[in-house]
Amino acid sequence: MLTLLLYFILASLIITTIYVVVRTIIFQRSQGSVEKIEGVLVDDQQVAEHLAAAVRCQTVPLDESGTPDPQAFQLLQQMLQETYPLVHQKLRREVVNGYSLVYIWQGTRSDLEPVMLMAHQDVVSADPTEWTHPPFEGKIVDGFIWGRGTLDIKNQLIGIMDAAETLLKQGFRPERTILFGLGHDEETGGVNGCKVIGQMLKERKIHLAGIVDEGGGIMEGLAAGVRGPIALVGVSEKGYLTVEFTVHSQPGHSSTPPPQTSIGILAKALARLEAHPMPTHLRRLRPMYHGIGIAAPLYIQVAFSNVWLFGPLLKRWLVPRAEMNASMRTTTALTIINGGVEDNTIPAEAKAIVNFRLLPGDSIADVLWHAKKVIKDERVKFKPVEGKFNEALPVSPSKAPAYLGLGTVIRQVFGNYPVAPFVMLGGTDCQHFVPVCDHIYRFTSVVMDPSFMGLEHGIDERIPVEAMGKMVKFYAQLMQVWGTKEMTNIKVTQLG
């Protein structure tokens, strides 16, 4: 009997090992080698001057609702017209809702669905007292263009326009119509800019074959355990949900407090929410690590190809890493709390604001149900804050021609870095185009080191002059590839 048991255990181990190995082999992949191209001829210094000029236009919203400064947008759009004469001669330009812009580069084949390249004109505010160089002077110093918007995202705006002007000088005309969508209020939600553009396209019955907006980039350390730079392309965005929690109780004097005050009841509820987050979904990370393929260490390939076996170990490893944790679950962030105005008075009401970022697959209804289940206290009332919620966006395919063409262009321009899909943790204007496009991708064509993390809305935002030249080459090549019927028609030399 013991012998049979040992044989059974040995056979189980052998079968399990074979299964793990086979799944790992299937999971492993090589993206092959793409020949790097020289691309269009670019004057890096000239492009830097163009970005510096755009930075000097202080397109900062006048209030939290995103009211634009008319003079700033007039200056920026005048600068675009003067700097890119061929774009304004050859492309049709439409002004949408006063400030947003749509450029239409008509293709030679009207039967093909258009594509759209996006950027936004607005930027967040900046306190000049803490900057090395003033945020709105567009200084070019030490090989960098300094200023608000150099990374978010006037670099992309200038990259698109410079690339188009360069191709027009060469006489290029796409088969597929190319649109440029340049919203004016992305930093405050895009409801008056790209939302209106999206509605306009829907009314005109225009369906897009692909969109590229701001998003991932090329950097080392973007995926836990993977050494060397990788290029991440956003194929979705997390949803957004802000919830107000309220507790009412009997007010009174602090000398005779009740067993539980409104603040105490609310504090306990918030503590339970924080201690019991939404569940993790490890499989949401599998497409990214699958895309990275053989560039990832073998132990990671084994683990992610066999989540059924190594799931608990992966969770223990990834959950403590904030970005990895946020990439595989709906997050809970306690952001505002209010209750009481005097130290000797028990308040009748206590309120708190909690912000959830929804992983694709989790809905707003799921989060509200989870909160109710975790808190288990009918005295705690909660509701979504008006205008502060949207579901997670659909996941765009990573095997479609638009994605494959984009990935090929990334590797042609920047080198043979692994290109992998991921879910954006923040939001973009892409949310407004879901009804008119099934292939929405988010990629900012910049190679950055970790020192640039957080500069987008931070102090001393800047971009290397050389990086702007590369961005122009990227957009010029993408226009030529996405402007074809196939959207990806470049041969890839396979390794091994």
Side-chain angles (χ1 to χ4, degrees), residues 277-291:
M278 293 282 287
T280 56
H281 298 281
L282 269 172
R283 295 186 183 278
R284 296 294 179 188
L285 289 176
R286 287 187 82 249
M288 181 177 73
Y289 280 98
H290 182 60

Side-chain angles (χ1 to χ4, degrees), residues 227-291:
R227 294 182 179 180
I230 59 174
L232 291 185
V233 176
V235 294
S236 181
E237 294 174 20
K238 297 188 81 171
Y240 192 98
L241 172 62
T242 295
V243 178
E244 180 185 74
F245 291 80
T246 307
V247 175
H248 292 94
S249 66
Q250 187 66 33
H253 199 278
S254 63
S255 62
T256 55
Q260 286 187 300
T261 65
S262 58
I263 292 177
I265 296 168
L266 181 60
K268 182 179 179 181
L270 296 178
R272 288 187 61 82
L273 267 182
E274 201 167 51
H276 300 85
M278 293 282 287
T280 56
H281 298 281
L282 269 172
R283 295 186 183 278
R284 296 294 179 188
L285 289 176
R286 287 187 82 249
M288 181 177 73
Y289 280 98
H290 182 60

Side-chain angles (χ1 to χ4, degrees), residues 443-461:
F443 179 76
T444 298
S445 53
V446 178
V447 179
M448 294 191 294
D449 63 62
S451 67
F452 283 81
M453 291 290 286
L455 288 183
E456 293 90 341
H457 286 195
I459 299 167
D460 283 348
E461 184 179 351

Side-chain angles (χ1 to χ4, degrees), residues 86-342:
L86 287 178
V87 169
H88 289 83
Q89 290 171 22
K90 303 290 187 180
L91 276 61
R92 188 165 86 248
R93 173 180 177 269
E94 294 189 28
V95 180
V96 179
N97 207 17
Y99 302 96
S100 288
L101 301 174
V102 175
Y103 290 85
I104 303 169
W105 194 346
Q106 190 63 47
T108 58
R109 293 190 52 174
S110 58
D111 59 313
L112 300 177
E113 292 183 336
V115 293
M116 185 161 69
L117 313 182
M118 293 175 58
H120 57 85
Q121 305 169 63
D122 59 316
V123 298
V124 297
S125 61
D127 180 359
T129 60
E130 300 181 23
W131 284 59
T132 304
H133 301 285
F136 295 105
E137 288 190 8
K139 295 287 187 181
I140 303 176
V141 182
D142 299 327
F144 293 89
I145 309 109
W146 298 71
R148 180 61 82 220
T150 52
L151 288 175
D152 186 11
I153 190 87
K154 285 181 176 176
N155 57 345
Q156 203 153 289
L157 166 63
I158 296 302
I160 291 169
M161 298 298 280
D162 255 282
E165 188 78 7
T166 300
L167 290 178
L168 286 167
K169 287 177 183 177
Q170 297 177 356
F172 172 75
R173 187 178 177 188
E175 289 183 291
R176 188 183 297 273
T177 296
I178 301 174
L179 308 181
F180 305 153
L182 312 176
H184 74 270
D185 63 341
E186 189 274 345
E187 298 293 359
T188 51
V191 295
N192 296 307
C194 278
K195 184 175 182 179
V196 179
I197 295 175
Q199 292 169 342
M200 179 184 78
L201 295 178
K202 186 176 181 181
E203 290 169 1
R204 295 180 183 179
K205 302 187 185 308
I206 296 174
H207 192 272
L208 301 173
I211 287 177
V212 169
D213 195 8
E214 61 180 320
I218 303 172
M219 193 183 335
E220 192 166 354
L222 292 176
V226 179
R227 294 182 179 180
I230 59 174
L232 291 185
V233 176
V235 294
S236 181
E237 294 174 20
K238 297 188 81 171
Y240 192 98
L241 172 62
T242 295
V243 178
E244 180 185 74
F245 291 80
T246 307
V247 175
H248 292 94
S249 66
Q250 187 66 33
H253 199 278
S254 63
S255 62
T256 55
Q260 286 187 300
T261 65
S262 58
I263 292 177
I265 296 168
L266 181 60
K268 182 179 179 181
L270 296 178
R272 288 187 61 82
L273 267 182
E274 201 167 51
H276 300 85
M278 293 282 287
T280 56
H281 298 281
L282 269 172
R283 295 186 183 278
R284 296 294 179 188
L285 289 176
R286 287 187 82 249
M288 181 177 73
Y289 280 98
H290 182 60
I292 294 168
I294 61 173
L298 181 60
Y299 71 89
I300 289 180
Q301 297 175 43
V302 172
F304 271 100
S305 58
N306 296 277
V307 172
W308 62 276
L309 181 60
F310 298 106
L313 292 175
L314 282 171
K315 287 181 181 180
R316 288 183 62 183
W317 176 53
L318 293 171
V319 167
R321 293 165 165 80
E323 290 205 1
M324 291 291 99
N325 179 58
S327 297
M328 59 181 182
R329 69 153 35 110
T330 292
T331 53
T332 304
L334 283 53
T335 55
I336 301 174
I337 188 165
N338 292 303
V341 293
E342 296 176 333

Side-chain angles (χ1 to χ4, degrees), residues 42-58:
V42 178
D43 184 335
D44 291 0
Q45 192 62 35
Q46 185 181 68
V47 177
E49 293 287 354
H50 294 167
L51 178 57
V55 167
R56 296 181 193 117
C57 305
Q58 300 187 40

